[in-house]
Amino acid sequence: MERVINRRDLSFQLYDVLDVASLSAYPRFSEHDKASYEAVIDAAERLAMDKFADHAHKADENEPQYENGRVVMIPEVKEALSHYLAGGFHLAHRDESEGGMQLPLVISQAIAAIFTGANASTTAYPFLTIAAANLLSAYGSDAQKEKFLKPMLEGRFFGTMCLSEPQAGSSLADIRTKATPLPDGSYAIKGTKMWISAGDHDLAENIVHLVLAKIPGGPEGVKGISLFIVPKYQVDDEDRVGDSNDVALAGLNHKMGYRGTTNCMLNFGENDACRGYLVGVVHHGLGYMFHMMNEARIGVGLGATMMGYAGYLASLDYAKQRPQGRPVDAKDPASPPVPIIAHADVRRMLLAQKSYVEGALSLCLYCARLLDEAQQTEDADTKKRNLLLLDLLTPIAKAWPSEFCLEANKLGIQILGGYGYTRDYPLERLYRDNRLNPIHEGTNGIQSLDLLGRKVMAEKGLAFRLMMERIGDAIGEAKAYPVLEEQVAAMQGAVDLLSRVTVKLVTAAHEGKTEAFLANSHEYLLLMGHVVMAWMWLRQATVAAAKITDAVGDDRSFFAGKLMATRYFFTHELPKTGPQAALLASLDTTVLDMPNEGF
Amino acid sequence: MERVINRRDLSFQLYDVLDVASLSAYPRFSEHDKASYEAVIDAAERLAMDKFADHAHKADENEPQYENGRVVMIPEVKEALSHYLAGGFHLAHRDESEGGMQLPLVISQAIAAIFTGANASTTAYPFLTIAAANLLSAYGSDAQKEKFLKPMLEGRFFGTMCLSEPQAGSSLADIRTKATPLPDGSYAIKGTKMWISAGDHDLAENIVHLVLAKIPGGPEGVKGISLFIVPKYQVDDEDRVGDSNDVALAGLNHKMGYRGTTNCMLNFGENDACRGYLVGVVHHGLGYMFHMMNEARIGVGLGATMMGYAGYLASLDYAKQRPQGRPVDAKDPASPPVPIIAHADVRRMLLAQKSYVEGALSLCLYCARLLDEAQQTEDADTKKRNLLLLDLLTPIAKAWPSEFCLEANKLGIQILGGYGYTRDYPLERLYRDNRLNPIHEGTNGIQSLDLLGRKVMAEKGLAFRLMMERIGDAIGEAKAYPVLEEQVAAMQGAVDLLSRVTVKLVTAAHEGKTEAFLANSHEYLLLMGHVVMAWMWLRQATVAAAKITDAVGDDRSFFAGKLMATRYFFTHELPKTGPQAALLASLDTTVLDMPNEGF
């Protein structure tokens, strides 16, 4: 792979669409400007291509092995991470006082995007660590921060999140891992955790597991879940890493893709010698974990986006270079073959990919931008509105890219034909890696229940109305450009459609028709996802329409491409919402009415 | 895997929907009846599960290796094939005089389906041989049949089809392999062939390659292509297998899936010692090859169907057994978890799979039934009509299952969650295997051009009108059942939609707007595919509606399931044709208008 992102597009999204430069008005970012952002993105891209992309294929072909209770993996992973840590990229968003770069989240997400596109598997180790560190920053005690967070920030300890168990994948109410209070205030942890990404390795001095467990005697279900720090190795009072904390690697899962990231079954307390340290107060663990989960969900969406993006660019390069066939209306067999980018169906597959991956990137960066503003603003109302909107968009930012950027990879393979199906090209690996994203950090089915059953209903639909306001603003801005006339009308139509359907569904919910209300929640997720994506494209198109008149050369082509991708999304994709809305509005119960024995 | 097909469904499709028993009225099948069909299907299923399904995982994890110019693979493949050949399954459709079972094609396809579902990779070796043998039966000389076909029927020689070359995957006009006439009437073959499935192995005494090549001085493009028999080893005048025929294995392609089937680059005539034998007359090679290709295309559709089918059943079994979560309206955390089949979104994914795989199977068997009748009837008009309809349906039978049964596998993985993503369950393998099907034997993009550009246009739309007549018949029969009222109306609507769009497109073609006519051909393929699939479901629903009134127990559940899957397809899938039709009717040229530099 020669590149995993179009830097021209990234600049457009960051500075032209999201006006990231204006964040410098906040004191925290006052020392930064576009030049400093670009410098760190340049450095990230160099490192990502030199030390991460280089072993993505090798790591896939040589997955980590379980040998004598330890994990053995190719050395390139540790080397890449040493450069990453030395460059301070794991501290991109951290305060300067902590040794960080004090960058806006939207920039640190752009950096994360580049590393993920280059090699998602290797990147997973520090990314999980960053998320765990963020959780400890928010909820850990000072002593816990000193003991566990500090070495994570120093790059000496890595982190994980341990939620699932073999009998309880998505259903956290049913976890069985026990935390029994000990006289010294710590807890004895006992149980088995499953699907733990980066759950074991020798990449760091220690691994800080953040573990959900139940204290005996607590409430049933999710209300009885507490959160614990459980290090792989004990850390003594002088902060020295010592003996095993009785966390045993029971086995590695052998996956279709994402093979470079260990995925583990871990046994805690097989010898009754596993100590955990309560984070915050008892029985509030799930809430703390969702701090990490929400971040992780947008991370999943961004990862899915970048696998799609890298695949799009690889298939684009191929399509420009590969000569094959002739135009449909010029069949002289003696004429030379044309590059396959000339064929309509190849162009369709490229445009579809472009509309998916650049649209998805736009949404993920928009979410980061919302959080930046929420964190920096001193206006309580702005903060609340941003966080509410972010809450609403999170399931979409997780699920939509994981569906459609996977589809992008499928199209990328198709463009390469037989070559795309071989392991000599990155497409099939990206497709396999990407297939994880609809599953982990809450399946897309769960995202759809979260979206419709919780987020849309929250505060009497306030978040939904906020989104509609913002889309209304975008429509208002787009109206200034006659070239966008059709898209403006279509966007308005889509908004009306979504509103009507939502009212219908919410009414059903209020009438107590819970099952019918949620029966087609996944369809609702797809519907709102497409409306949100149309909004993201309309925002981009508005900027492109404004800039194209004075643009020349490559810039002009770039803006023309943005306008055409918008047109593609509005003509080929957005109309799919029609049947979705009709199905939802009919409160169709086919899936409920099917008898089990009829399958 | 415990099963790869629901035998109750297969019986329903064969005997109730397709009335295969009535084929016994033809002299060729007069000795057969339902009991004899079922006996051979039973035997096939036993062998498929015992000797094919057993090593599907192992073959995937241990792909064939290239060692010292030879292919080394796990021994289970050869053992399975020896049982298969001993059972005479490769001769299922052949005359008794040839040692065959003289079964209708629809039954031999059902048998093929079971083997493919159990292990597509191992099955590919005999299936390619059967297709090559069929071609030689049709076009080989008597001497060629004696020398090459006979040992293929005996199971001693295997076969391949060699079309693609490294520089010409889909574009056969550009193949470069040369066939130079020699004084003895044979040809010197020289060139490189790519993507040759089963192109090399030690499973048989010899491999009969059917090779497309150009005789120097012939016409440019596809009109200069001839077909040659090129054995791996020379066969002397006493039909003894002798020395190498200068066909060298240049390398194995390492694929995402379908790993058990060798896929080869072959060098013919590196030492100028490769002999080929012309099949039929010069420059007619492509026509002969399409005899094999059309058969192979429906075979691809059937294979895709069965990968989807096997995955559907595996995810169904899992969904019935795996307890997790609680109903959306009963959230007492102390209540026991329910099997995940109780969750609406899991039911959606099961119904979608069922509607895809059982619908696709219905189409593939329908195509085989058309060919049976065409081959047996003495009525020239019936024969012609059947063959025309088969021609029209072939690109759909290839492409639709390869799109939607791949989607079925994606949904199957999702039902299993993390487990589905591991190599401990068959879902991810089926998904990887199935990803080949939209690519090989003509990409789906090529299928869409074949459908709209050729098949729909052929004989002034006669095939299209024939299909519409048949759908009209199905609507007429369905009207007898009030329970199908909604589906009848929807089917009529879909037919009208497809007709209007087709007229619009054909008009554009006649006006010389070739590019716009074909710009969205893939969308047309999807549109007609869904209409055809709705037709297939309506046919099934009509039988189910007729039979359910008197049915009890499992039978009743089965018919109820068929009616519900029909309802699912008509409510959740068929409406997708609305936006597709609108796009096509608008002659949208977005994909053409995008400037290359805009990507």
Side-chain angles (χ1 to χ4, degrees):
Chain A
M1 292 190 293
E2 287 167 23
R3 54 179 184 156
V4 298
I5 199 164
N6 176 357
R7 286 292 299 277
R8 180 70 188 81
D9 178 37
L10 183 61
S11 295
F12 171 77
Q13 305 233 24
L14 289 175
Y15 311 114
D16 297 339
V17 180
L18 290 171
D19 191 17
V20 168
S22 71
L23 287 172
S24 300
Y26 291 113
R28 186 166 194 267
F29 309 127
S30 60
E31 313 246 315
H32 283 298
D33 57 14
K34 181 177 168 180
S36 65
Y37 298 145
E38 287 297 288
V40 66
I41 292 172
D42 284 346
E45 189 179 27
R46 272 196 306 274
L47 179 58
M49 300 316 294
D50 286 353
K51 294 289 179 186
F52 284 73
D54 70 318
H55 69 279
H57 176 69
K58 184 175 176 185
D60 179 65
E61 293 267 321
N62 301 277
E63 64 185 343
Q65 301 292 320
Y66 177 81
E67 289 177 13
N68 303 319
R70 298 182 83 91
V71 174
V72 180
M73 67 177 74
I74 61 168
E76 285 86 346
V77 177
K78 189 158 192 167
E79 199 206 326
L81 294 180
S82 69
H83 287 280
Y84 178 91
L85 295 167
F89 290 107
H90 63 305
L91 303 174
H93 68 297
R94 290 259 163 192
D95 288 352
E96 283 180 14
S97 63
E98 296 174 304
M101 300 183 193
Q102 205 160 311
L103 290 167
L105 286 164
V106 66
I107 298 294
S108 66
Q109 287 292 81
I111 292 168
I114 293 171
F115 281 108
T116 313
N119 186 334
S121 287
T122 295
T123 315
Y125 298 100
F127 284 12
L128 283 158
T129 304
I130 290 168
N134 289 346
L135 190 152
L136 288 182
S137 293
Y139 302 110
S141 68
D142 286 346
Q144 288 169 342
K145 286 179 186 171
E146 181 63 26
K147 196 163 196 161
F148 298 108
L149 174 61
K150 190 158 162 271
M152 290 168 84
L153 300 182
E154 289 165 357
R156 292 168 42 224
F157 291 9
F158 279 9
T160 76
M161 51 203 291
C162 299
L163 291 79
S164 301
E165 300 182 4
Q167 83 293 348
S170 297
S171 176
L172 296 175
D174 294 312
I175 63 167
R176 293 182 196 147
T177 297
K178 266 196 304 197
T180 309
L182 295 174
D184 69 352
S186 71
Y187 289 77
I189 307 294
K190 195 173 179 74
T192 300
K193 291 290 180 180
M194 185 64 166
W195 310 121
I196 310 308
S197 286
D200 204 2
H201 53 72
D202 283 339
L203 298 168
E205 289 176 43
N206 206 350
I207 302 174
V208 178
H209 301 292
L210 295 177
V211 178
L212 293 184
K214 291 188 169 181
I215 299 169
E220 293 277 357
V222 295
K223 290 177 181 163
I225 294 176
S226 302
L227 178 66
F228 299 87
I229 296 168
V230 185
K232 176 181 176 183
Y233 297 111
Q234 296 171 21
V235 183
D236 70 13
D237 291 341
E238 272 81 54
D239 295 339
R240 287 174 304 213
V241 177
D243 291 340
S244 160
N245 187 33
D246 195 16
V247 180
L249 175 61
L252 292 174
N253 293 308
H254 297 288
K255 295 164 292 174
M256 169 163 60
Y258 240 115
R259 291 192 179 193
T261 307
T262 53
N263 187 276
C264 310
M265 185 191 275
L266 296 177
N267 282 335
F268 292 85
E270 278 181 331
N271 307 306
D272 296 320
C274 178
R275 293 294 183 90
Y277 309 96
L278 180 72
V279 177
V281 296
V282 296
H283 307 329
H284 282 64
L286 200 61
Y288 305 145
M289 190 59 98
F290 263 87
H291 184 101
M292 187 167 173
M293 279 294 284
N294 280 328
E295 191 180 323
R297 285 176 173 178
I298 295 175
V300 166
L302 185 66
T305 300
M306 291 308 300
M307 293 172 205
Y309 210 130
Y312 163 56
L313 294 177
S315 66
L316 175 61
D317 290 346
Y318 183 88
K320 285 178 173 173
Q321 287 159 20
R322 167 80 175 178
Q324 187 163 275
R326 287 157 191 84
V328 289
D329 54 359
K331 279 293 190 190
D332 172 11
S335 66
V338 295
I340 62 170
I341 197 173
H343 301 312
D345 199 51
V346 172
R347 303 174 73 75
R348 167 186 69 87
M349 294 191 281
L350 289 171
L351 263 170
Q353 289 182 78
K354 182 179 170 77
S355 80
Y356 298 155
V357 305
E358 293 181 10
L361 181 64
S362 192
L363 176 60
C364 293
L365 294 177
Y366 183 84
C367 287
R369 180 76 169 73
L370 280 178
L371 195 51
D372 271 321
E373 192 153 5
Q375 288 180 349
Q376 302 309 319
T377 185
E378 294 186 357
D379 178 54
D381 189 51
T382 302
K383 183 185 180 82
K384 183 186 170 184
R385 291 160 64 95
N386 274 24
L387 291 179
L388 262 174
L389 187 54
L390 182 63
D391 262 1
L392 180 71
L393 292 177
T394 295
I396 294 171
K398 189 273 177 181
W400 198 93
S402 72
E403 293 288 337
F404 289 92
C405 298
L406 174 63
E407 183 68 17
N409 287 143
K410 183 183 150 195
L411 296 172
I413 290 175
Q414 193 71 12
I415 289 174
L416 271 73
Y419 292 102
Y421 195 63
T422 69
R423 309 203 294 277
D424 299 330
Y425 288 80
L427 272 303
E428 66 87 31
R429 173 175 54 77
L430 293 165
Y431 181 62
R432 285 186 288 109
D433 288 354
N434 221 346
R435 183 61 191 86
L436 178 61
N437 289 317
I439 298 171
H440 67 164
E441 312 305 348
T443 64
N444 287 358
I446 286 175
Q447 302 301 325
S448 75
L449 292 173
D450 180 49
L451 176 67
L452 181 57
R454 257 192 300 261
K455 302 296 176 59
V456 166
M457 303 293 281
E459 303 211 24
K460 297 188 178 170
L462 180 55
F464 186 84
R465 288 195 302 280
L466 282 172
M467 182 181 78
M468 288 304 189
E469 270 177 40
R470 299 261 179 139
I471 299 179
D473 294 345
I475 291 173
E477 288 172 32
K479 275 183 177 162
Y481 303 94
V483 68
L484 300 178
E485 190 181 339
E486 283 182 28
Q487 283 84 29
V488 163
M491 187 80 243
Q492 191 60 59
V495 160
D496 294 345
L497 196 71
L498 177 61
S499 295
R500 283 200 305 275
V501 166
T502 305
V503 167
K504 185 102 185 181
L505 288 168
V506 169
T507 305
H510 288 149
E511 289 168 355
K513 300 174 187 163
T514 309
E515 280 202 306
F517 162 54
L518 293 172
N520 299 297
S521 60
H522 192 264
E523 209 72 15
Y524 186 81
L525 176 79
L526 295 179
L527 167 59
M528 196 196 285
H530 259 46
V531 173
V532 166
M533 209 45 58
W535 168 33
M536 290 296 133
W537 272 109
L538 190 65
R539 286 164 47 87
Q540 295 183 68
T542 303
V543 177
K547 290 186 171 274
I548 196 168
T549 43
D550 294 332
V552 292
D554 288 351
D555 260 6
R556 192 171 181 83
S557 299
F558 174 80
F559 294 127
K562 282 289 179 189
L563 291 172
M564 201 58 78
T566 307
R567 182 173 134 194
Y568 179 88
F569 196 85
F570 276 79
T571 52
H572 286 65
E573 289 291 333
L574 189 59
K576 293 177 182 171
T577 54
Q580 290 165 344
L583 179 79
L584 286 159
S586 74
L587 296 175
D588 182 87
T589 56
T590 306
V591 301
L592 303 176
D593 299 342
M594 174 77 171
N596 281 3
E597 301 71 26
F599 282 111
Chain B
M1 293 190 293
E2 288 167 22
R3 53 179 184 156
V4 297
I5 200 165
N6 176 356
R7 286 292 299 278
R8 180 71 187 82
D9 178 37
L10 183 60
S11 294
F12 171 77
Q13 305 232 25
L14 290 175
Y15 310 115
D16 297 337
V17 180
L18 290 170
D19 191 18
V20 168
S22 71
L23 288 173
S24 299
Y26 291 113
R28 186 167 195 267
F29 309 127
S30 60
E31 313 246 315
H32 283 299
D33 57 15
K34 180 176 169 181
S36 65
Y37 298 146
E38 287 297 288
V40 66
I41 294 172
D42 283 346
E45 189 179 28
R46 272 195 306 275
L47 179 58
M49 300 316 295
D50 285 353
K51 293 290 178 187
F52 285 73
D54 70 318
H55 69 279
H57 176 71
K58 185 176 175 185
D60 179 66
E61 294 268 321
N62 300 277
E63 64 185 344
Q65 299 293 318
Y66 176 82
E67 289 178 12
N68 303 319
R70 298 182 83 90
V71 173
V72 180
M73 67 177 74
I74 61 169
E76 285 86 347
V77 177
K78 190 158 190 166
E79 198 205 329
L81 295 180
S82 70
H83 287 280
Y84 177 91
L85 296 168
F89 290 107
H90 63 306
L91 304 174
H93 68 298
R94 289 258 164 195
D95 288 352
E96 283 180 14
S97 64
E98 296 175 304
M101 299 183 192
Q102 205 160 310
L103 290 166
L105 286 165
V106 66
I107 298 294
S108 67
Q109 287 292 81
I111 291 168
I114 292 171
F115 282 107
T116 313
N119 185 333
S121 286
T122 295
T123 315
Y125 298 101
F127 283 12
L128 283 160
T129 304
I130 290 168
N134 290 345
L135 189 153
L136 288 183
S137 294
Y139 303 109
S141 67
D142 287 345
Q144 287 170 343
K145 286 181 187 171
E146 181 63 25
K147 197 161 194 162
F148 298 108
L149 174 60
K150 192 159 161 270
M152 289 168 84
L153 299 183
E154 290 165 358
R156 292 169 41 224
F157 290 8
F158 279 10
T160 76
M161 50 203 293
C162 299
L163 291 80
S164 301
E165 300 183 4
Q167 83 292 348
S170 297
S171 176
L172 296 175
D174 294 312
I175 63 166
R176 293 182 195 146
T177 297
K178 265 196 306 197
T180 309
L182 296 173
D184 68 353
S186 70
Y187 289 76
I189 307 294
K190 195 174 179 73
T192 300
K193 291 290 178 178
M194 185 66 165
W195 311 121
I196 310 308
S197 286
D200 205 3
H201 53 74
D202 284 338
L203 297 168
E205 290 175 42
N206 205 350
I207 302 174
V208 178
H209 301 293
L210 296 177
V211 177
L212 293 184
K214 290 187 168 182
I215 300 169
E220 292 277 356
V222 296
K223 289 177 181 162
I225 294 176
S226 303
L227 178 67
F228 299 87
I229 295 167
V230 186
K232 176 181 177 184
Y233 298 111
Q234 297 171 19
V235 183
D236 71 14
D237 291 340
E238 273 80 54
D239 294 339
R240 285 175 303 215
V241 177
D243 291 341
S244 160
N245 187 34
D246 195 15
V247 181
L249 174 62
L252 292 173
N253 293 309
H254 297 289
K255 296 164 291 176
M256 169 163 60
Y258 240 114
R259 293 192 177 193
T261 307
T262 53
N263 186 276
C264 310
M265 185 190 277
L266 296 177
N267 283 334
F268 293 83
E270 277 180 331
N271 306 306
D272 295 321
C274 179
R275 294 292 183 89
Y277 309 96
L278 180 72
V279 177
V281 295
V282 296
H283 306 330
H284 282 65
L286 200 61
Y288 305 145
M289 190 59 98
F290 263 89
H291 185 100
M292 188 167 171
M293 279 294 285
N294 280 328
E295 192 180 322
R297 285 177 174 178
I298 295 175
V300 167
L302 185 66
T305 300
M306 291 309 300
M307 294 172 204
Y309 210 131
Y312 162 55
L313 294 178
S315 67
L316 174 61
D317 290 346
Y318 183 88
K320 285 179 174 172
Q321 287 157 19
R322 167 80 176 180
Q324 188 164 276
R326 285 156 192 85
V328 288
D329 54 358
K331 280 292 190 190
D332 172 12
S335 65
V338 295
I340 61 170
I341 197 172
H343 301 313
D345 198 51
V346 172
R347 304 174 73 75
R348 167 187 70 86
M349 295 191 280
L350 288 172
L351 262 171
Q353 288 184 78
K354 182 180 170 78
S355 80
Y356 297 155
V357 306
E358 294 181 8
L361 181 62
S362 192
L363 175 61
C364 293
L365 295 177
Y366 183 84
C367 286
R369 180 77 168 74
L370 281 178
L371 194 51
D372 271 321
E373 193 153 6
Q375 289 181 347
Q376 302 308 320
T377 185
E378 295 187 356
D379 178 54
D381 188 52
T382 301
K383 184 186 179 82
K384 184 187 169 184
R385 291 159 64 95
N386 274 25
L387 291 179
L388 263 173
L389 187 54
L390 181 63
D391 262 1
L392 180 71
L393 292 177
T394 296
I396 294 171
K398 189 272 177 183
W400 198 94
S402 71
E403 292 289 336
F404 288 92
C405 298
L406 173 64
E407 183 67 19
N409 288 143
K410 184 182 149 194
L411 295 171
I413 290 174
Q414 194 70 13
I415 288 174
L416 271 72
Y419 293 102
Y421 195 64
T422 69
R423 309 202 295 276
D424 299 329
Y425 287 81
L427 272 305
E428 66 87 32
R429 174 175 54 76
L430 293 166
Y431 181 62
R432 285 187 288 109
D433 288 354
N434 220 347
R435 183 63 190 85
L436 178 60
N437 289 317
I439 298 171
H440 66 164
E441 311 305 349
T443 65
N444 287 358
I446 285 175
Q447 302 300 326
S448 76
L449 292 173
D450 180 49
L451 176 67
L452 181 57
R454 255 192 300 261
K455 302 297 176 60
V456 166
M457 302 293 280
E459 304 208 24
K460 298 187 179 172
L462 179 56
F464 186 83
R465 288 196 302 280
L466 281 171
M467 182 182 78
M468 288 306 189
E469 270 177 42
R470 298 260 180 139
I471 299 179
D473 294 345
I475 291 173
E477 288 171 32
K479 275 183 177 162
Y481 303 94
V483 67
L484 300 178
E485 190 182 342
E486 282 182 30
Q487 283 84 28
V488 163
M491 187 79 245
Q492 191 60 58
V495 160
D496 295 344
L497 196 71
L498 178 60
S499 295
R500 282 199 306 275
V501 166
T502 305
V503 167
K504 186 102 186 182
L505 289 168
V506 170
T507 305
H510 289 147
E511 290 169 355
K513 300 175 187 161
T514 309
E515 280 201 308
F517 162 52
L518 293 173
N520 299 298
S521 59
H522 193 264
E523 209 73 15
Y524 186 81
L525 176 79
L526 295 179
L527 166 60
M528 196 196 285
H530 260 46
V531 173
V532 166
M533 210 45 59
W535 168 33
M536 291 296 133
W537 272 109
L538 189 64
R539 285 164 48 86
Q540 295 182 68
T542 303
V543 177
K547 290 187 171 276
I548 197 168
T549 42
D550 294 332
V552 292
D554 287 351
D555 260 5
R556 192 171 181 84
S557 299
F558 174 79
F559 294 127
K562 282 289 180 188
L563 291 172
M564 202 57 80
T566 307
R567 183 173 134 192
Y568 179 87
F569 195 84
F570 276 78
T571 52
H572 290 242
E573 290 290 334
L574 189 58
K576 292 178 183 173
T577 54
Q580 290 165 343
L583 179 79
L584 285 158
S586 74
L587 296 174
D588 182 89
T589 56
T590 305
V591 301
L592 303 176
D593 300 342
M594 174 78 172
N596 282 2
E597 302 71 27
F599 282 111

